[in-house]
Amino acid sequence: MPAYAIGNLRPAKTLHDEVLTYIERVQGTLDPFGGRFLVHGAPEREVLEGEWPQSPVIIAFPSLHHARRWYASEDYQALLPLRTRHMEGDVLLIDGVPDGYDPAKTAAAIRAAQSPES
């Protein structure tokens, strides 16, 4: 099942040189774990609800195991301070849904679990 690293970053108007070095080198840390960018900053975006001043990042992995191994890897941990010293943000690793996922079935299961007859 796919998994994702999702970042909600708050960059300064001018990026520090260390952040640029991080951006230049991060793909090399992703490659051994099958990671690939789906979204990186998204300068063109349309906010439909609420506010979204942050810079979104979404990285896909083959599995949550791959994502965890990437984040904990020696190479990524050595690179990470180049970003975190100069940019605040929130990052999470999360499972995706399997092929053929049906949200209606999920709703039905939740209804059944919440039913007073359960």
Side-chain angles (χ1 to χ4, degrees), residues 50-106:
E51 297 180 26
W52 202 292
Q54 296 85 2
S55 182
V57 175
I58 302 173
I59 303 169
F61 290 91
S63 70
L64 193 55
H65 176 73
H66 286 83
R68 286 179 178 139
R69 287 180 49 226
W70 162 71
Y71 193 85
S73 71
E74 186 175 311
D75 286 343
Y76 186 65
Q77 287 298 306
L79 188 62
L80 184 58
L82 298 181
R83 178 180 57 79
T84 58
R85 279 195 291 260
H86 308 287
M87 184 185 302
E88 292 184 11
D90 308 300
V91 176
L92 70 113
L93 301 179
I94 190 166
D95 267 328
V97 295
D99 287 341
Y101 173 76
D102 183 347
K105 288 181 181 178
T106 299

